[in-house]
Amino acid sequence: MNSTRLFAVVGLASLGAVGAALVSQHVFGMQPCPWCVLQRVIFLAIAIACIAGLVWRSAAGRTVAASFAIVLAVSGVAAALWQHFQAAASASCNLTIADKIVSGWLGLDSLWSDVFSPRASCADAAVNLLGVPYEFWSLALFVLLALALVRALRPANQRRLT
């Protein structure tokens, strides 16, 4: 798969993850915690990095975009793991780094509250989908996106050989 298609697929998958989270929230009543919202922000940032990779057509531009998106995906993995193993065990996740980033530094909760406003504690947001913790679905997608983006870093002639 060429890097243009890779960036497009990763960007669309990231947007699809945010869309699924919004459906879960607004249709099925699964209210997000600050860590859930932070993962939405990371997925959107990955999509923006992929758009940059599509627009910035030089090899250097695609390398920068893919590298930035990989760092974001790894950050998403860390956020999902932290949510599951630390935040979900606490009664409140207010004033955590996730809350500070989303509400404080970026101010997204006041900009577009239907998408970026945390509405549940981390313990309340700990739900399963098909028997798997919701944050593990997010974690799996972050891992898949990172692996796909690593492939975008390989030179085109090496991608054709595999």
Side-chain angles (χ1 to χ4, degrees):
M1 182 180 298
N2 67 27
S3 59
T4 300
R5 190 169 293 147
L6 244 159
F7 278 119
V9 167
V10 169
L12 288 173
S14 296
L15 293 175
V18 175
L22 292 172
V23 168
S24 296
Q25 177 184 347
H26 295 290
V27 176
F28 298 109
M30 296 169 61
Q31 298 306 312
C33 71
W35 288 95
C36 301
V37 174
L38 178 61
Q39 290 170 63
R40 292 178 188 184
V41 172
I42 295 169
F43 277 123
L44 290 174
I46 291 170
I48 290 168
C50 287
I51 291 169
L54 289 169
V55 172
W56 196 359
R57 292 219 174 261
S58 71
R62 289 180 182 240
T63 299
V64 168
S67 298
F68 184 59
I70 290 168
V71 169
L72 288 166
V74 170
S75 299
V77 167
L81 288 171
W82 184 267
Q83 177 184 354
H84 182 77
F85 291 110
Q86 293 293 323
S90 77
S92 174
C93 45
N94 288 343
L95 304 177
T96 62
I97 189 70
D99 197 42
K100 289 177 184 177
I101 291 171
V102 173
S103 301
W105 300 339
L106 298 176
L108 293 173
D109 61 332
S110 60
L111 182 67
W112 199 2
S113 65
D114 285 344
V115 176
F116 299 114
S117 182
R119 300 174 188 268
S121 73
C122 293
D124 292 337
V127 297
N128 290 336
L129 177 66
L130 303 175
V132 176
Y134 205 77
E135 61 273 14
F136 281 179
W137 290 101
S138 178
L139 173 107
L141 183 57
F142 280 126
V143 168
L144 290 173
L145 296 180
L147 292 173
L149 290 160
V150 165
R151 187 175 169 108
L153 289 175
R154 293 192 345 210
N157 58 351
Q158 285 183 348
R159 275 190 304 246
R160 280 192 292 259
L161 296 175
T162 59

